[in-house]
Amino acid sequence: MTIEITHTRREGTLIEGTSRGDGSAEILRLREYGRTQRQPFRWSRNLDCWYLPHSRDHATYTPSLELLAQRLRDAGFEVTLTIDNADRRSFSEAEEEREEKAEGRAERFGGYATTATRNSEAAWKKSHQISERFAGGQPILIGHHSEGRARRDHARMDDAMRKSIGERDRADHWTGRAQAAANYERFKKDPGRTLRRLDKLRADLRAVEKWQRGESAKGYSRNPNDPELTIRHEELTEEIEHWQQIIKDAEAEGFRVWSKADFTRGDFVLYRGTWYEVLRVNPKSVTIPHIHNGTGQRIVRATGNRHDDWTWTAPYDDVSGRKSADEMQQPPKAEAA
């Protein structure tokens, strides 16, 4: 039977044609594959084949698959290797699937947590019921006919209590996992995080465009005719457009994108819950008194601080508000109104 190794950006790296006990598993489980050359293949019951984790939506590292194919051939298998890095799905399609999976995980983990909580309560009740026999402080009577039963009850009570504690720990674990999965979309679309992500993606896109022009970027050059550059340009463009729309949606709901044009020296910026006087306005941030001055303070001015010779920078994507010097001088009641 022929073992088929295929890779596309759309589906990732898949291995089909193996069977249980044919000797291929030992080769596939070696931690020597993937882009890091440290990944093993895993068996998927849903796909009914082997797959390489984290290989979807990425170009493959061809030498790694060629090494795998040669190892399988040396073991006596007939192998075919097919690579198509151009077959891909759009970024929006991939992100939608990731969000759906996160919702599924949240629901599944929540079910695990509920079951563990129910088991913990049942084990605790069982332990409590057994302990009622000894509620009056009755000791184990050595040599009495009840000694054996009493010792068994103590063991059962101890086992039930241990199970209750273990199930409670399991419930806490799955509750945390469920909460993390439920928060996936919220954290992913957080405007501050999204703005920082956009800065990095735009820098990556500029680098790709330089390589396509035959220029050096990020300290090295690439072949301008490499088809991977064209695919990467398309991916980055789609991803930037996706996150730009997220920011537009956030702005429609009241989020403010701050920039250099919004501040002048002497203004006050709300940074992580404290108002700081602006010492200098930079392209991507404002310079403020050091945050050590803000401990227990609502407003930190340019002078009169413990660490006047220290400064800090507050990036615009982490700024929550702005006030002029005149607005900051207003009495608290007027300010609250």
Side-chain angles (χ1 to χ4, degrees):
M1 189 173 185
T2 301
I3 294 180
E4 300 177 355
I5 305 174
T6 60
H7 175 84
T8 63
R9 269 180 162 87
R10 180 179 297 276
E11 301 296 338
T13 305
L14 304 177
I15 310 293
E16 297 178 291
T18 63
S19 58
R20 183 184 293 272
D22 64 2
S24 61
E26 289 74 10
I27 298 174
L28 293 169
R29 289 197 181 104
L30 293 174
R31 295 179 174 273
E32 300 177 5
Y33 308 113
R35 288 168 291 146
T36 63
Q37 299 183 52
R38 295 181 179 179
Q39 292 176 276
F41 280 82
R42 294 180 181 176
W43 176 260
S44 170
R45 287 180 293 179
N46 292 332
L47 298 174
D48 195 31
C49 67
W50 294 87
Y51 74 101
L52 185 65
H54 312 298
S55 59
R56 293 188 76 184
D57 304 313
H58 296 285
T60 187
Y61 180 62
T62 303
S64 174
L65 296 187
E66 291 175 342
L67 172 64
L68 170 61
Q70 188 58 49
R71 284 176 173 171
L72 290 171
R73 292 187 182 108
D74 293 342
F77 296 98
E78 184 177 344
V79 181
T80 63
L81 174 60
T82 305
I83 297 175
D84 184 3
N85 284 317
D87 182 10
R88 67 182 188 87
R89 54 183 180 169
S90 68
F91 178 80
S92 296
E93 181 183 353
E95 189 64 17
E96 182 179 355
E97 180 180 308
R98 285 188 282 267
E99 291 175 4
E100 290 176 354
K101 286 185 176 180
E103 292 176 0
R105 288 196 302 273
E107 183 176 354
R108 187 168 67 255
F109 296 160
Y112 295 162
T114 300
T115 300
T117 300
R118 187 165 54 246
N119 292 341
S120 176
E121 292 175 353
W124 180 86
K125 289 179 179 179
K126 180 179 179 180
S127 176
H128 183 68
Q129 289 171 353
I130 298 172
S131 70
E132 289 180 349
R133 176 186 173 188
F134 308 98
Q138 175 67 44
I140 296 177
L141 302 177
I142 306 300
H144 192 267
H145 66 81
S146 64
E147 178 184 357
R149 179 186 173 190
R151 293 191 182 280
R152 288 192 296 273
D153 285 345
H154 270 279
R156 289 169 55 217
M157 185 169 58
D158 182 68
D159 290 342
M161 185 56 68
R162 290 179 184 275
K163 180 179 179 181
S164 174
I165 295 172
E167 290 295 325
R168 184 189 62 194
D169 291 342
R170 288 185 67 246
D172 291 343
H173 168 76
W174 289 118
T175 298
R177 292 285 301 275
Q179 188 62 47
N183 289 339
Y184 172 84
E185 185 176 0
R186 181 169 64 88
F187 284 131
K188 192 82 171 181
K189 293 183 177 180
D190 174 74
R193 294 171 184 264
T194 302
L195 288 172
R196 291 189 288 274
R197 186 182 298 116
L198 279 168
D199 286 342
K200 181 182 181 302
L201 291 172
R202 288 169 181 143
D204 291 343
L205 182 60
R206 289 193 297 270
V208 169
E209 291 173 343
K210 285 185 177 181
W211 287 325
Q212 289 179 315
R213 295 194 298 265
E215 301 173 7
S216 176
K218 297 187 176 182
Y220 61 96
S221 300
R222 295 182 61 174
N223 180 4
N225 299 319
D226 184 353
E228 180 63 25
L229 291 179
T230 301
I231 297 173
R232 187 60 183 145
H233 191 283
E234 294 173 355
E235 289 178 331
L236 287 169
T237 301
E238 288 179 3
E239 190 168 356
I240 289 172
E241 291 175 351
H242 175 87
W243 296 119
Q244 283 177 334
Q245 185 59 49
I246 296 298
I247 292 297
K248 289 180 180 179
D249 294 342
E251 286 182 306
E253 296 176 0
F255 176 73
R256 175 70 180 271
V257 179
W258 301 97
S259 67
K260 180 180 179 180
D262 296 312
F263 295 93
T264 60
R265 182 176 179 179
D267 286 345
F268 284 79
V269 59
L270 182 58
Y271 176 66
R272 299 184 180 180
T274 302
W275 289 97
Y276 294 89
E277 186 171 348
V278 175
L279 306 178
R280 185 169 59 252
V281 180
N282 312 306
K284 293 187 177 183
S285 65
V286 289
T287 302
I288 59 176
H290 200 279
I291 57 173
H292 285 177
N293 298 309
T295 304
Q297 301 294 321
R298 178 176 170 274
I299 302 173
V300 178
R301 302 186 183 276
T303 58
N305 303 302
R306 181 178 180 182
H307 304 290
D308 271 346
D309 53 338
W310 294 2
T311 60
W312 192 264
T313 55
Y316 295 125
D317 55 47
D318 210 4
V319 167
S320 304
R322 171 204 170 273
K323 285 187 178 183
S324 67
D326 291 339
E327 289 174 319
M328 192 56 69
Q329 294 297 333
Q330 292 179 3
K333 289 184 178 180
E335 178 182 309

